[in-house]
Amino acid sequence: MSVNGRYSLGIILAFVMLAASMLYSIPLINQFFHYKTLTVDLFFYNRLSLWLVLIMVLIYNFTFENRSFFVWEDKKYSIVFYFGAVVVLYLICAFGGAFLNIIIKLLTKEKLSDRLLEFKNLLQNNYLLIAFTCLTAGVIEELLMRAYIQPRIEKIYNSPLLGIVISALLFGILHSTYGTVSQVVIPFFIGIVFSIFYKLYSNIKILIICHFLIDFISLMAMNLLDAKHLTVF
């Protein structure tokens, strides 16, 4: 199989396994534990399944691709650049996402995601689980969607634009499990911003930090707000 063929198969495997973990790991795990509702333990096992996906992609990469996981070598920057980049990325995503959310609410009148309410109740005052959830999302999604999938799409089609757009689109689709339009459109927007940054600066650590902060600040704010005020998220 050609390099592009192995890249294509790896992209499909990474996305399918991520989607399957997000959609089906909870009912699959529940076959063994028989929880009647979504519990902290069940959600924790669901987060662990995402780390298993990363391990499987790493095994595929080193076994079948037989190349470095990082197609683009991670560049080094100063602490000042790290801090500035994280702040700017966070503000772009926060204000851009809020603006899109307002537009979508006005156009669709969609209600708050039931899944989001479920997560709020589950994570209430459980700060360790909140931190682990955000760390998992930041590390797994950035390593797989940006560091793994994006540059391989670009290599296959010889198009930076397709690498950015397709990886961001897949990122948005992954969040469709929340069941609302905003939870697809806003992650797609964030995916575009992150993918452009990764193409320009080739530093995945900054994106992991920023992704963690976006989720952590949002979940901590949700933890403090009443359910009726959660539409902002």
Side-chain angles (χ1 to χ4, degrees), residues 212-225:
F212 172 85
L213 286 176
I214 289 172
D215 287 354
F216 185 74
I217 292 173
S218 296
L219 290 181
M220 289 300 291
M222 285 171 53
N223 189 62
L224 300 173
L225 292 175

Side-chain angles (χ1 to χ4, degrees), residues 33-67:
F33 295 99
H34 305 293
Y35 294 114
K36 294 182 179 180
T37 60
L38 180 62
T39 66
V40 169
D41 289 345
L42 187 54
F43 184 74
F44 175 74
Y45 294 140
N46 166 258
R47 299 296 93 181
L48 285 181
S49 73
L50 295 175
W51 290 93
L52 179 61
V53 170
L54 176 61
I55 292 172
M56 294 174 70
V57 173
L58 286 170
I59 291 172
Y60 174 85
N61 168 245
F62 293 123
T63 304
F64 294 97
E65 291 183 358
N66 197 25
R67 293 168 181 264

Side-chain angles (χ1 to χ4, degrees), residues 102-112:
I102 291 171
I103 298 300
I104 292 169
K105 297 296 184 187
L106 291 174
L107 293 177
T108 66
K109 306 295 183 182
E110 70 178 5
K111 297 180 180 179
L112 184 67

Side-chain angles (χ1 to χ4, degrees), residues 9-143:
L9 182 57
I11 291 167
I12 293 171
L13 287 174
F15 178 74
V16 169
M17 287 191 295
L18 263 181
S21 178
M22 291 181 175
L23 285 170
Y24 303 116
S25 64
I26 288 178
L28 180 62
I29 294 168
N30 209 24
Q31 292 294 318
F32 298 93
F33 295 99
H34 305 293
Y35 294 114
K36 294 182 179 180
T37 60
L38 180 62
T39 66
V40 169
D41 289 345
L42 187 54
F43 184 74
F44 175 74
Y45 294 140
N46 166 258
R47 299 296 93 181
L48 285 181
S49 73
L50 295 175
W51 290 93
L52 179 61
V53 170
L54 176 61
I55 292 172
M56 294 174 70
V57 173
L58 286 170
I59 291 172
Y60 174 85
N61 168 245
F62 293 123
T63 304
F64 294 97
E65 291 183 358
N66 197 25
R67 293 168 181 264
S68 172
F69 182 86
F70 296 95
V71 174
W72 301 335
E73 183 179 353
D74 230 37
K75 296 179 181 178
K76 296 180 180 179
Y77 297 99
S78 67
I79 296 297
V80 173
F81 182 87
Y82 268 76
F83 180 79
V86 169
V87 170
V88 170
L89 283 171
Y90 179 85
L91 292 176
I92 290 173
C93 293
F95 285 101
F99 175 76
L100 288 172
N101 193 37
I102 291 171
I103 298 300
I104 292 169
K105 297 296 184 187
L106 291 174
L107 293 177
T108 66
K109 306 295 183 182
E110 70 178 5
K111 297 180 180 179
L112 184 67
S113 166
D114 291 336
R115 190 175 180 87
L116 198 62
L117 284 173
E118 191 176 26
F119 285 168
K120 172 180 168 54
N121 295 329
L122 185 73
L123 298 172
Q124 190 71 38
N125 298 326
N126 193 333
Y127 302 112
L128 284 177
L129 186 58
I130 288 174
F132 180 68
T133 297
C134 298
L135 179 65
T136 297
V139 173
I140 305 300
E141 292 178 15
E142 293 310 315
L143 284 179

